[in-house]
Amino acid sequence: MTYPAPAPRGLARDTRNKMIAGVCAGIARRYGISTGGLRLAFVISCILPGPQFIAYLVLWAFMPRDDRY
């Protein structure tokens, strides 16, 4: 008997690999990229003008927690 493949996981905050809220870790896990690289890219992007910090706060507020790990 074969079982169907599990559905891909949606975007959720990673509560086990978090540094602040788990937003970068959740995005990195969802898209299969390096967590450290994504965090570094986010910190560097905060030097540039734009709503990066506000976007992080919005994602922190609205991304569900993923406590499965």
Side-chain angles (χ1 to χ4, degrees), residues 5-20:
R9 295 201 171 120
L11 191 59
R13 291 186 290 130
D14 188 350
T15 57
R16 303 225 31 222
N17 297 316
K18 68 181 184 174
M19 289 193 81
I20 297 175

Side-chain angles (χ1 to χ4, degrees), residues 11 13 21 23 27 42 51-64:
L11 191 59
R13 291 186 290 130
V23 173
I27 292 170
F42 174 74
Q52 296 88 329
F53 189 70
I54 294 170
Y56 187 90
L57 292 176
V58 168
L59 287 171
W60 185 355
F62 291 107
M63 276 177 69

Side-chain angles (χ1 to χ4, degrees), residues 17 19-20 23-25 27-28 33-48 52 56:
N17 297 316
M19 289 193 81
I20 297 175
V23 173
C24 288
I27 292 170
I33 56 177
S34 166
T35 304
L38 183 66
R39 287 178 180 145
L40 180 63
F42 174 74
V43 169
I44 291 171
S45 76
C46 285
I47 297 170
L48 303 171
Q52 296 88 329
Y56 187 90

